Amino acid sequence: MPALPTVLRTAELRLKQAQERLAAFREAPLGGRFTVLGETFTKPKPKPKRSASTLEPAALDERGRRRYLVPDENRAFWVYGPRSSSSATPYW
């Protein structure tokens, strides 16, 4: 199990990065650009027929690709969260 601490550190780092991206997205104005962790994103304005509260947060990266930041943060949490709590008391 010598690799476990490295895996946990990497998972924790990715979780923190995902949380930072999501926080920056939430603070950015609609249609605004924001930079976090060296990446620049644009927070698109919602389409007229949809309410902003019903949309899943997606930012456009520098190449114009959609990045869904809530699922990114959720995945990072579930990779790190369950393992970090069990690292003190191994279950194997």
Side-chain angles (χ1 to χ4, degrees):
M1 292 296 174
L4 186 59
T6 303
V7 171
L8 287 175
R9 278 193 302 274
T10 301
E12 181 180 21
L13 175 64
R14 291 194 178 183
L15 174 59
K16 287 180 182 179
Q17 290 173 341
Q19 290 170 335
E20 287 181 42
R21 283 186 197 97
L22 186 56
F25 175 84
R26 288 181 172 152
E27 292 174 8
L30 291 175
R33 294 179 61 119
F34 61 98
T35 301
V36 61
L37 301 170
E39 298 174 289
T40 302
F41 297 95
T42 303
K43 184 175 183 177
K45 294 181 181 179
K47 294 183 180 178
K49 293 184 179 182
R50 294 185 175 173
S51 164
S53 64
T54 61
L55 293 177
E56 184 171 302
L60 300 175
D61 68 11
E62 295 169 326
R63 295 180 184 176
R65 297 177 299 186
R66 287 195 173 273
R67 293 273 304 268
Y68 293 93
L69 302 176
V70 170
D72 286 352
E73 193 270 341
N74 285 338
R75 278 189 297 275
F77 171 80
W78 286 110
V79 166
Y80 175 71
R83 283 153 185 84
S84 65
S85 62
S86 65
S87 64
T89 51
Y91 52 88
W92 56 88

